[in-house]
Amino acid sequence: MTARILITGAAGIVGTLMRTRLAAPDRTLRLLDIAPLPPAAEGEQVELVTASVTDAAAMAAACEGVDAVIHLGGHSLERPWADILDVNINGTHVVLEAARQAGVKRVVLASSNHAVGYYERSSGEAGDYLFPQPDTYYGVSKVALEALGSLYASRYGMDVIAIRIGSCFEKPRDSRMLSTWLSPDDGARLFEACLSAPSPGFRVVWGVSDNKRRWFSLAEAEALGYKSEDDSEVYAAEVLEASGEPPADSPARVYLGGVWCSSEFDTAVKEAGR
Ligand code: 15L
């Protein structure tokens, strides 16, 4: 069991879902976020740190005495290039560099399906290690995160696992998420597998549940010891009744990244005004 784990972005959606699920009697979670974190509950073994992942001194301090880092911090949606560059790309470098200098041997990185969002669903099941096809600047930052992880694993012998997370929410919110959903409990199972697999080196795995409508390989995640126990199908009727299905030829249905491949997410044009 990993004794002390630093979780960056702990106040975010995934961080909040993992806080209780990754708690264990012989484990301390060091929760870090720039946003306020709920105080420790009675008996909860947590340490709370208010800091930005871009603050090298704060990250160096946060990595002291830690056995593993789960890096969830950064913008979780599309943003202007300058924000993505600073918080997601530079921030990931700051976290990995702080981990290296503190002697932390294992880092689990939150990548995203948007690293390969332009992959066409008609091409078949999305394999592990699919070549990058980012759909947004956010997606580019996840490709950079994977590349940084690979560098730190190859050069410094660290174990670094990048999880291409589908959609980790309490429940699937639309028809696409019936395919991309990672249930919170499966998310915790996957993080535990990533923390405990013996000497994984560098890996890129899909973070999804074993959904009946899944488009993704689970082979590499299962090779680490992950076993999904959930399936979005239990929500299918409710989700389809509430939100229906977009037309078959819309970006929402054609691409793995869904609506993120539509003009709505064209940040370059938005920023330039043309
Ligand atoms: C992500 O990477 C986002 O962080 C999350 O908010 C969802 O939009 C998810 O992808 C998704 O594709 O559903």
Side-chain angles (χ1 to χ4, degrees):
M1 177 72 69
T2 313
R4 180 176 274 101
I5 303 170
L6 169 65
I7 304 181
T8 70
I13 293 176
V14 179
T16 302
L17 290 169
M18 291 307 120
R19 176 170 174 166
T20 47
R21 289 174 173 86
L22 294 181
D26 47 1
R27 178 182 277 170
T28 298
L29 298 179
R30 183 173 290 169
L31 306 172
L32 179 143
D33 209 300
I34 198 165
L37 284 153
E42 177 81 34
E44 195 186 18
Q45 284 167 220
V46 291
E47 298 167 348
L48 307 181
V49 183
T50 305
S52 165
V53 291
T54 62
D55 181 338
M59 288 311 305
C63 283
E64 279 308 319
V66 155
D67 299 291
V69 176
I70 296 179
H71 175 43
L72 309 174
H75 295 298
S76 64
L77 295 170
E78 179 63 336
R79 301 278 294 208
W81 175 247
D83 298 355
I84 291 288
L85 187 59
D86 179 35
V87 181
N88 287 25
I89 300 180
N90 182 48
T92 298
H93 178 252
V94 169
V95 169
L96 280 164
E97 186 50 19
R100 179 187 75 80
Q101 289 193 30
V104 180
K105 289 278 170 278
R106 187 165 304 214
V107 180
V108 184
L109 300 170
S111 184
S112 166
N113 69 88
H114 298 290
V116 291
Y118 268 111
Y119 182 78
E120 294 193 18
R121 283 172 45 193
S122 61
S123 306
E125 182 181 85
D128 299 294
Y129 304 101
L130 208 57
F131 194 80
Q133 276 183 277
D135 55 24
T136 43
Y137 291 154
Y138 168 81
V140 169
S141 78
K142 295 302 182 180
V143 175
L145 164 144
E146 293 175 1
L148 283 163
S150 176
L151 173 67
Y152 274 75
S154 300
R155 193 174 285 278
Y156 307 112
M158 290 163 65
D159 290 311
V160 182
I161 301 161
I163 306 177
R164 289 181 173 170
I165 298 174
S167 309
C168 188
F169 297 104
E170 205 63 75
K171 289 158 113 188
R173 297 176 170 182
D174 56 26
S175 63
R176 173 176 171 275
M177 290 193 195
L178 294 174
S179 303
T180 59
W181 190 52
L182 173 66
S183 78
D185 288 346
D186 276 349
R189 289 180 191 104
L190 181 53
F191 281 115
E192 292 291 2
C194 291
L195 291 169
S196 61
S199 308
F202 178 68
R203 308 278 182 117
V204 178
V205 306
W206 280 111
V208 291
S209 287
D210 192 5
N211 305 312
K212 185 178 162 211
R213 303 174 193 230
R214 160 172 72 81
W215 314 318
F216 310 90
S217 162
L218 287 182
E220 195 67 341
E222 288 179 350
L224 293 177
Y226 169 62
K227 191 80 201 99
S228 163
E229 293 182 19
D230 293 323
D231 182 345
S232 63
E233 206 55 24
V234 293
Y235 298 108
E238 167 190 331
V239 165
L240 294 172
E241 163 84 23
S243 63
E245 278 252 60
D249 60 351
S250 67
R253 290 274 293 280
V254 171
Y255 299 108
L256 196 151
V259 74
W260 290 52
C261 296
S262 72
S263 56
E264 213 184 306
F265 283 75
D266 185 343
T267 312
V269 165
K270 272 190 200 163
E271 287 194 87
R274 66 190 166 96

